[in-house]
Amino acid sequence: MKRLLLLAALFAATMSGARAYDFSAVAPTGQTLYYNIVSGGVQVTSQNTSFPYYNYSTYPTGALTIPDSVTRQGTTYAVVSIGDYAFRDCSGLTSVTIPDAVTSIGNYAFDDCSGLTSVTIPDAVTSIGPAAFEDCSGLTSVTIPNSVISIGNYAFCGCSGLTSVTIGSGVASIGNNAFRGCSGLTSVTIPNSVTSIGEYAFSNCSGLTSVTISNSVTSIAAFSGCSGLTSVTIPNSVTYIGFEAFSGCSGLTSVTIPNSVTSIGNSAFSGCSGLTSVTIPNSVTSIGNQAFSNCSGLTSVTIPNSVTSIEPYAFFGCSGLTSVTIPNSVTSIYAAFSGCSGLTSVTIPNSVTYIGTEAFYGCSGLTSITIPSSVTGIGTEAFYNCSGLIEIHSEARVAPLLGTDCFAGVPINIPVYIPCVRQMSYNSYYSRWSYFSNFIEADGFSFSATSADDAMGSVTVLTQPTCQSPTAVVNAIAANGYLFQRWNNGVTNNPYSLVVTSDTALTAIFVPENDSPCDTVYIYIHDTVYIHDTVYITGEGINGVDAMNAKVYTSQGQIVVEGADGNNVTLYDVSGRMLATKHDEYTPMRFDIPASGTYMIKIGSYPARKVVVVR
């Protein structure tokens, strides 16, 4: 593979005055080599001046030993570098020994040396240039010494015979496409010194079955097309899984995404058909375009509430996905689940205001969909060809505007459940819901009735309110040893009939049968209006009513206790959880109460007594 842009730049530099070689000399192994004098010694270069290669007949072949030094006109020079294009296209070279003083290997230095089977890189080398060993298909192993800091773009790209590579502990960066297409490579260990792995660095290494990524790497976009890779552990240092990071890794069955990751890039796991499940951690805020597209084996995915953005086609073609819950942090969906033909259920949260173009295009397995009240619009072809739908529930009181062919392919006569008195909005031509012919007005308001304490009693809803008949009837049933007292709205009727005009939740309050008026204090709080100014806390455990007098009343929404005779006064909720405790011998003690309900007040060592508070 030729890097055309880089080649063009280097060619332009050569044609505009790149210096010819200064002299030539015969290597110990008999080949003629060409040199330029540089700072500190000489650099091995190409023989040609106008263009780095054309006279193949003079190219060195066989086993080459580059000398440690050369002498010219009585002056001896150390060989310190291998220049750009020095041995490019020397397909007859079989092995190269590079002298110990060499510190750099230039761009395309051994590019297309297809016969090269071994090379020894000395410990002094600090950089391996772009495409230095590109397409050296005969190279079987390479050891990169600890002295090397950077491996350039395409440095070993296309070395299909490479089965082993050792990366030294000094390497800080691996360039783009550095080992791309090294299909014979089965394993690689990236040392902790590496902080940067370039895009497609190990792309199409189809024989790679395992990889160890260092804890210093912060982003990954390097393993697309590694079809033999079955599992990968991404270290906690990684914050970004980049473009096509594992795209086409069809053998990948599991992946652990650490809590450090905040973003999953476009096409990151696209085409990972062997992946069956994935858990996205709470740290992730965005899932990129086509991030998991065509992961046909994916059956479940957990999307956390931290995710605010699911980009178009993020799960496109995930035909094995059967259910998905969209977190309540997401506000819009665009084509994210298009082509998920196996999807049978989806939960769309109230945070979503817009269901965008092709959001669920071709999800033929969907049988029911609920559109939350927050949705104001549904885009073009959002539910196109969702032919399995047998019902639609729309909770929006104003019909969301539909885009072109939004429900094309969905039977027009399926029931569409809408809020009360909303037929006109949904039958409007403007809203485009008139595509459907069977609108049913569903329950207008939510209604529930429960017991404050299931051990004391239960509640039965005798009649549920509907659009046509908004009256509800409830019945409170006390357990043995308890009595129904009232509903949380103060009503004591039982059974209780009421007209539901808004979302309503009733709670039945029960008391023990042996409770007496002295045991229970009823305080009705209306700002500073005192319904009961004085009560006496008496009962079992107290020797007569004179043992403790206490004035309990309300003021400005607080419970006020006077006459505690220097005792601690403690406020509990009905479950016995302490809410507050006070001690004051001279002034009234005031307690803020969180809500209406049943509380317990305990003064000193005297038994606690129940206080029912109604706002």
Side-chain angles (χ1 to χ4, degrees):
M1 292 183 288
K2 306 297 184 286
R3 307 284 70 81
L4 296 180
L5 292 177
L6 179 59
L7 178 59
L10 291 173
F11 174 68
T14 301
M15 295 299 291
S16 62
R19 188 174 62 175
Y21 65 87
D22 292 328
F23 66 97
S24 64
V26 178
T29 45
Q31 300 92 340
T32 299
L33 301 181
Y34 300 87
Y35 300 95
N36 279 327
I37 299 172
V38 296
S39 176
V42 294
Q43 178 187 79
V44 182
T45 188
S46 170
Q47 74 171 104
N48 304 295
T49 56
S50 61
F51 198 70
Y53 50 92
Y54 74 92
N55 190 359
Y56 293 100
S57 64
T58 62
Y59 277 12
T61 60
L64 170 65
T65 297
I66 300 173
D68 294 332
S69 62
V70 290
T71 300
R72 181 198 184 202
Q73 297 178 351
T75 301
T76 300
Y77 300 92
V79 178
V80 295
S81 65
I82 309 296
D84 297 343
Y85 297 96
F87 298 99
R88 189 178 194 202
D89 281 333
C90 291
S91 58
L93 273 182
T94 57
S95 68
V96 175
T97 300
I98 300 172
D100 291 340
V102 167
T103 59
S104 64
I105 300 174
N107 303 342
Y108 294 90
F110 295 93
D111 179 35
D112 272 332
C113 291
S114 56
L116 191 64
T117 59
S118 70
V119 63
T120 301
I121 301 172
D123 289 336
V125 171
T126 59
S127 65
I128 299 173
F133 294 93
E134 183 182 17
D135 289 332
C136 291
S137 56
L139 199 62
T140 58
S141 68
V142 65
T143 298
I144 299 169
N146 294 336
S147 57
V148 172
I149 298 171
S150 64
I151 301 172
N153 297 345
Y154 299 93
F156 295 91
C157 178
C159 294
S160 56
L162 197 62
T163 58
S164 170
V165 61
T166 301
I167 301 173
S169 60
V171 174
S173 64
I174 300 173
N176 298 343
N177 300 278
F179 294 92
R180 182 171 185 164
C182 294
S183 55
L185 201 61
T186 57
S187 69
V188 64
T189 299
I190 299 169
N192 286 329
S193 58
V194 173
T195 58
S196 172
I197 303 176
E199 293 182 357
Y200 303 102
F202 295 90
S203 177
N204 295 329
C205 292
S206 56
L208 197 63
T209 57
S210 69
V211 62
T212 301
I213 302 170
S214 70
N215 285 321
S216 52
V217 172
T218 58
S219 66
I220 300 174
F223 298 95
S224 65
C226 294
S227 56
L229 201 61
T230 57
S231 68
V232 65
T233 299
I234 300 170
N236 287 323
S237 57
V238 171
T239 59
Y240 177 63
I241 300 176
F243 179 67
E244 294 188 350
F246 297 95
S247 174
C249 293
S250 56
L252 196 63
T253 58
S254 68
V255 63
T256 300
I257 301 173
N259 287 324
S260 56
V261 172
T262 59
S263 180
I264 299 174
N266 295 353
S267 303
F269 295 93
S270 176
C272 293
S273 55
L275 200 61
T276 57
S277 68
V278 64
T279 299
I280 299 169
N282 285 322
S283 55
V284 172
T285 59
S286 65
I287 301 173
N289 190 301
Q290 300 187 66
F292 294 92
S293 66
N294 293 312
C295 291
S296 55
L298 194 64
T299 57
S300 67
V301 63
T302 301
I303 304 173
N305 285 328
S306 58
V307 171
T308 58
S309 173
I310 303 175
E311 295 297 320
Y313 304 103
F315 295 92
F316 171 80
C318 293
S319 55
L321 197 62
T322 57
S323 68
V324 67
T325 298
I326 299 167
N328 55 23
S329 49
V330 172
T331 58
S332 60
I333 308 166
Y334 288 86
F337 300 94
S338 176
C340 293
S341 57
L343 197 63
T344 57
S345 69
V346 63
T347 301
I348 302 172
N350 280 320
S351 58
V352 171
T353 59
Y354 188 69
I355 300 174
T357 300
E358 297 183 9
F360 297 94
Y361 183 106
C363 293
S364 55
L366 274 179
T367 57
S368 175
I369 188 72
T370 298
I371 298 165
S373 58
S374 55
V375 172
T376 59
I378 303 176
T380 299
E381 298 182 340
F383 293 94
Y384 184 94
N385 206 25
C386 291
S387 54
L389 280 174
I390 59 174
E391 61 181 9
I392 296 172
H393 294 259
S394 179
E395 297 174 348
R397 297 187 63 78
V398 176
L401 300 181
L402 303 186
T404 304
D405 291 331
C406 180
F407 286 98
V410 176
I412 64 172
N413 60 344
I414 65 171
V416 178
Y417 296 92
I418 60 175
C420 289
V421 200
R422 296 287 95 192
Q423 287 270 8
M424 185 176 293
S425 176
Y426 280 82
N427 274 322
S428 165
Y429 174 80
Y430 175 70
S431 73
R432 290 182 172 169
W433 282 90
S434 56
Y435 170 85
F436 294 103
S437 60
N438 185 15
F439 292 102
I440 300 173
E441 290 186 343
D443 298 346
F445 303 101
S446 66
F447 176 79
S448 65
T450 58
S451 169
D453 189 333
D454 291 338
M456 293 184 178
S458 60
V459 176
T460 300
V461 179
L462 300 177
T463 303
Q464 280 280 6
T466 65
C467 288
Q468 294 72 27
S469 179
T471 300
V473 181
V474 292
N475 186 37
I477 305 168
N480 289 337
Y482 297 93
L483 297 173
F484 168 75
Q485 185 183 81
R486 64 181 180 83
W487 300 98
N488 63 311
N489 60 3
V491 175
T492 58
N493 296 347
N494 191 41
Y496 175 30
S497 176
L498 71 160
V499 176
V500 178
T501 59
S502 62
D503 291 346
T504 303
L506 281 179
T507 303
I509 298 171
F510 301 88
V511 295
E513 282 183 334
N514 59 2
D515 267 12
S516 68
C518 292
D519 290 330
T520 304
V521 180
Y522 300 99
I523 304 175
Y524 295 82
I525 298 177
H526 300 285
D527 293 326
T528 59
V529 179
Y530 303 161
I531 306 301
H532 292 292
D533 288 335
T534 305
V535 295
Y536 296 93
I537 299 178
T538 64
E540 65 184 68
I542 302 177
N543 297 320
V545 295
D546 295 331
M548 174 59 66
N549 281 339
K551 186 178 182 181
V552 180
Y553 60 94
T554 65
S555 174
Q556 298 178 345
Q558 296 175 314
I559 295 178
V560 184
V561 179
E562 292 184 17
D565 293 339
N567 288 290
N568 287 334
V569 178
T570 305
L571 178 68
Y572 299 87
D573 65 16
V574 73
S575 67
R577 179 171 59 95
M578 186 178 74
L579 302 178
T581 185
K582 295 180 183 291
H583 178 86
D584 193 329
E585 297 183 7
Y586 305 107
T587 60
M589 282 159 278
R590 296 175 174 271
F591 294 90
D592 293 317
I593 58 171
S596 300
T598 302
Y599 299 87
M600 306 294 286
I601 285 182
K602 183 175 176 62
I603 300 178
S605 60
Y606 295 98
R609 283 293 170 259
K610 184 184 299 181
V611 179
V612 177
V613 179
V614 181
R615 284 189 184 276

